[in-house]
Amino acid sequence: MTGLRHLTALLATLGSVLLLAGCGLGTAGGFVPTGELAGPIADTERLDGAEVAVGSKNFSEQLLLGKIAVILLRSAGADVTDLTNIPGSASARQAQLEGQVDLEWEYTGTAWISYLGHPQGIPDEDKQYQAVRDEDRKRNDLVWLPPAPMNNTYGFATTQETAKKLGVSTLSDIAKLPVAERTFCVESEFANRNDGLEPMLETYGMPIEKEVPRANLKTLDTGAIYAATADGDCNFGEIFTTDGRIKALDLAVLEDDKRFFPAYNVSVVVREEKLDENPQIEKLFAPVTEKLTDETLIELNAQIDVDGREPADVAFDWLKKEGFVR
């Protein structure tokens, strides 16, 4: 997702600006269940009378997070306009910059690189969050609430059987393997990025050609990589670390033990004016955000992408299971 969303954002920027300026956004539609606030957020000050427009991008994880926000805010009494399912990162960002969207979930690395224009992300999650938080508020009056533990960044996975057979659990372990076992499936963009495959291999002591022959690389579409890795076409496949297919295909994600990949933690981002009017929004989202781990998102994304469930239903069932609504 990380590399692809950067490209999508760049390609979509001009068109999205014209679209937003010309005709505005439509609502997402569809039934979204609501309930009563419970557990750690039961005593949150009500939002009765507050009007909040919630946006999201148009892929499964974003739809899930967007519906979580809609459910929480409506359950707290807010009058919510559901603008989830906005096509593309650039469109979603522009909608918030122009005030059409008050609140949406965003990834720290995406904002830092694609929106704020920095050439590279920051691998340290806390430092990346703090840098984005400070700059986006200063430049755009957007407030980043504390981030979730989940980090939807690049990674590499293998099958459980291969991990056990080769004795690998970290990316550093690959360098200990015979050259013939260092086989990779990657997408074309990642293979050519200045923060992609070749610098990653350099960081882990496996320079391309010298330690990883180009014959060991297979370039595939993003979706095909998961199946190819599961089928053994390569030992190690490039993945996004909260993708539901990790669970569905029982893949083992290798630890990025040298912290090469940038941080892509997700945070609730709110227009400063809206948060000033309704400061209880921060308290409402804080305990929910803390529960959003990699494992949780993998499970919930799989319910959408593999089981075919509606994001709103997955969101409500999870909030109810965790005791946030009833």
Side-chain angles (χ1 to χ4, degrees):
M1 179 175 61
T2 52
L4 290 176
R5 64 184 171 219
H6 296 158
L7 180 61
T8 300
L10 291 172
L11 292 176
T13 298
L14 179 58
S16 64
V17 171
L18 294 174
L19 173 65
L20 289 163
C23 60
L25 297 171
T27 58
F31 173 72
V32 178
T34 58
E36 296 180 11
L37 298 182
I41 58 176
D43 62 348
T44 303
E45 183 181 348
R46 297 282 297 175
L47 286 162
D48 299 310
E51 297 181 357
V52 185
V54 174
S56 83
K57 304 171 198 179
N58 63 341
F59 58 89
S60 297
E61 183 170 284
Q62 276 279 300
L63 289 168
L64 169 74
L65 293 169
K67 298 306 185 185
I68 285 175
V70 171
I71 293 166
L72 285 175
L73 291 164
R74 283 183 177 167
S75 299
D79 180 7
V80 178
T81 301
D82 184 350
L83 297 176
T84 56
N85 203 27
I86 300 170
S89 295
S91 298
R93 172 70 170 188
Q94 192 64 29
Q96 190 162 40
L97 289 176
E98 295 194 355
Q100 297 186 57
V101 164
D102 297 309
L103 180 152
E104 61 191 14
W105 299 80
E106 189 53 87
Y107 304 92
T108 53
T110 299
W112 186 249
I113 298 171
S114 294
Y115 306 153
L116 299 175
H118 297 278
Q120 292 185 325
I122 302 172
D124 184 276
E125 296 181 15
D126 289 337
K127 291 179 179 178
Q128 180 65 96
Y129 165 69
Q130 292 168 17
V132 169
R133 176 197 64 192
D134 295 346
E135 185 168 333
D136 216 11
R137 189 163 193 168
K138 181 177 180 180
R139 287 173 54 176
N140 300 304
D141 297 324
L142 294 177
V143 180
W144 286 67
L145 302 185
M150 66 82 72
N151 181 14
N152 192 4
T153 187
Y154 284 115
F156 278 87
T158 187
T159 64
Q160 298 287 347
E161 180 182 359
T162 299
K164 184 176 181 180
K165 180 180 73 173
L166 299 179
V168 294
S169 61
T170 70
L171 292 178
S172 290
D173 290 335
I174 300 176
K176 304 172 186 176
L177 301 175
V179 171
E181 300 288 1
R182 300 173 191 163
T183 58
F184 298 86
C185 290
V186 297
E187 60 176 340
S188 59
E189 183 192 350
F190 183 76
N192 294 290
R193 286 174 60 89
N194 62 2
D195 59 350
L197 179 66
E198 293 195 25
M200 184 276 286
L201 292 174
E202 288 275 357
T203 297
Y204 282 96
M206 299 175 286
I208 199 76
E209 295 185 346
K210 183 178 180 181
E211 296 291 337
V212 178
R214 293 196 181 274
N216 285 23
L217 307 179
K218 289 188 177 182
T219 304
L220 303 170
D221 291 337
T222 303
I225 291 173
Y226 292 83
T229 305
D231 291 341
D233 294 345
C234 56
N235 282 332
F236 307 104
E238 171 207 345
I239 51 89
F240 300 117
T241 52
T242 60
D243 196 295
R245 287 168 290 189
I246 294 170
K247 176 180 174 64
L249 297 171
D250 196 26
L251 299 177
V253 179
L254 302 182
E255 179 189 353
D256 177 18
D257 52 309
K258 293 190 177 180
R259 303 180 76 176
F260 171 79
F261 294 116
Y264 284 86
N265 299 87
V266 78
S267 295
V268 172
V269 182
V270 193
R271 291 196 307 114
E272 186 171 35
E273 179 182 7
K274 185 63 64 174
L275 188 61
D276 286 345
E277 294 170 355
N278 306 281
Q280 63 268 49
I281 287 175
E282 182 167 5
K283 181 179 179 181
L284 178 67
F285 279 91
V288 177
T289 302
E290 291 174 1
K291 288 283 188 177
L292 294 173
T293 63
D294 284 358
E295 294 75 17
T296 295
L297 267 299
I298 288 171
E299 168 65 34
L300 298 180
N301 286 335
Q303 290 183 39
I304 298 168
D305 291 329
V306 180
D307 300 338
R309 299 190 65 208
E310 288 295 323
D313 293 334
V314 175
F316 184 78
D317 287 350
W318 179 76
L319 287 169
K320 187 174 180 180
K321 176 185 173 184
E322 295 294 330
F324 293 119
V325 298
R326 62 187 177 207

